[in-house]
Amino acid sequence: MTEQHVIRVFADSDIVVLVVRANGGSDALQFIHELDRRYQARFKRYFERLRDGHAMQSPQHIRRLNDGSEPVVHELKADKYRLYLIRVGPRWFVTHGREKPKDSQVAREAQKARVIFWEARGEQR
């Protein structure tokens, strides 16, 4: 994925990046900007932990959504809000966010994360 398809969360690191879709927009950035400052701050702290390679409490703050599909999607949690991430090597790609979905909708959110990820890479899956 080229730099034009991502937005760095931290200027000095490309470990945590927001995915930019083919239309030039970022679902993740738009969602984060619409959050209250306290939730923005919480997600920023989580991003710092991911950037620095520190463990996070699972499933309290992050959980792996493993439905057998690749790539594996992770759900980052802050109260009633969720961000969806895909890890490739050391990098975390943040695809989108939303309010906590019903359990029956979690698989749909994981699939949406994959669609956004592959779209940004210029691939159809």
Side-chain angles (χ1 to χ4, degrees):
M1 197 170 298
T2 66
E3 290 306 310
Q4 64 197 30
H5 296 105
V6 297
I7 299 168
R8 289 181 174 188
V9 173
F10 303 102
D12 61 343
S13 173
D14 66 351
I15 297 296
V16 181
V17 294
L18 308 179
V19 175
V20 176
R21 295 183 83 146
N23 66 9
S26 172
D27 296 26
L29 182 63
Q30 179 180 350
F31 177 77
I32 292 168
H33 277 180
E34 292 173 358
L35 289 174
D36 195 58
R37 286 193 183 274
R38 65 182 167 160
Y39 296 113
Q40 289 178 4
R42 191 174 306 169
F43 279 124
K44 184 178 180 205
R45 284 193 304 273
Y46 292 162
F47 291 156
E48 288 168 348
R49 293 191 68 76
L50 292 172
R51 176 197 64 196
D52 298 340
H54 296 299
M56 293 191 4
Q57 291 179 328
S58 178
Q60 184 178 351
H61 300 300
I62 191 169
R63 83 173 164 156
R64 182 181 168 125
L65 304 177
N66 193 358
D67 63 0
S69 299
E70 290 291 329
V72 174
V73 177
H74 294 80
E75 182 181 58
L76 195 58
K77 308 174 186 182
D79 194 31
K80 64 180 180 177
Y81 299 108
R82 304 293 186 262
L83 284 174
Y84 295 90
L85 301 88
I86 292 176
R87 186 173 189 182
V88 178
R91 294 182 85 184
W92 291 91
F93 295 88
V94 186
T95 60
H96 72 288
R98 64 164 289 165
E99 282 195 27
K100 179 182 176 183
K102 294 179 181 177
D103 289 342
S104 63
Q105 296 173 324
V106 172
R108 188 176 322 143
E109 293 304 320
Q111 185 56 33
K112 180 178 178 178
R114 290 183 192 98
V115 167
I116 292 170
F117 178 76
W118 291 122
E119 176 186 321
R121 292 179 68 114
E123 300 178 31
Q124 291 284 23
R125 298 268 170 137

